[in-house]
Amino acid sequence: MKLNLKLSLALIAGSMMAVSCGGSGNSSESASSSSAPAAPEPVKEISLEEKYKDDPIFIRGVELMKQNDCPSCHMIERKIVGPSYADVAAKYETTEENVEMLAGRVIAGNVGVWGEIPMPAHPALSEDDAKDLVRYVLLLKK
């Protein structure tokens, strides 16, 4: 009987240690394994400048914009005096016909398409540079 009592006490003590040390039946173990997955990180919206910064059309367009008065009236993603470049890009498909038509408007000036404030003429701008400017603007699609 002494042997059975010692064996019983040893089994009880072992069971208590298993439970207190994280053995089966521990509710904290099941809670940690069923925790909710981490929420996915929100998609970071990048600017059009960042999106196209390495594109040769973008690089050439920025160079031409700096040489001319375009930033006085236009910004890439925000309307100031004239429409944003992104708004122009959204309105017109990038076709050779549109490039030619819009380049002509840049050189000759225009009024009425975007409101009553006229875009001044840029007669000193070459047709090739005007087309490069238009290609740059039309690249800036969101």
Side-chain angles (χ1 to χ4, degrees):
M1 170 124 166
K2 278 187 172 182
L3 184 60
N4 284 340
L5 181 61
K6 284 184 181 183
L7 185 59
S8 296
L9 287 175
L11 287 173
I12 292 171
S15 297
M16 289 176 62
M17 284 182 63
V19 170
S20 67
C21 293
S24 64
N26 188 342
S27 63
S28 65
E29 180 181 320
S30 61
S32 66
S33 66
S34 67
S35 63
E41 287 189 37
V43 176
K44 294 180 183 175
E45 203 171 306
I46 63 170
S47 70
L48 290 173
E49 287 176 290
E50 185 65 24
K51 182 176 178 180
Y52 294 109
K53 70 180 180 180
D54 296 325
D55 189 300
I57 294 171
F58 182 85
I59 294 166
R60 175 72 174 138
V62 169
E63 177 185 307
L64 287 167
M65 292 291 169
K66 289 179 181 178
Q67 294 171 6
N68 291 284
D69 63 348
C70 306
S72 301
C73 298
H74 304 281
M75 292 182 74
I76 291 178
E77 295 187 72
R78 190 172 61 118
K79 177 187 181 346
I80 49 177
V81 175
S84 72
Y85 300 140
D87 288 342
V88 175
K91 183 172 181 156
Y92 297 99
E93 286 185 54
T94 305
T95 65
E96 198 53 39
E97 294 80 23
N98 283 341
V99 169
E100 288 182 30
M101 181 258 305
L102 294 169
R105 289 181 182 176
V106 169
I107 293 169
N110 195 22
V111 66
V113 176
W114 296 95
E116 295 307 311
I117 298 173
M119 181 175 70
H122 299 85
L125 195 61
S126 74
E127 185 176 343
D128 286 340
D129 284 351
K131 286 181 178 182
D132 284 347
L133 282 169
V134 169
R135 286 185 186 99
Y136 159 76
V137 169
L138 296 180
L139 172 73
L140 299 171
K141 297 190 186 306
K142 292 185 178 185

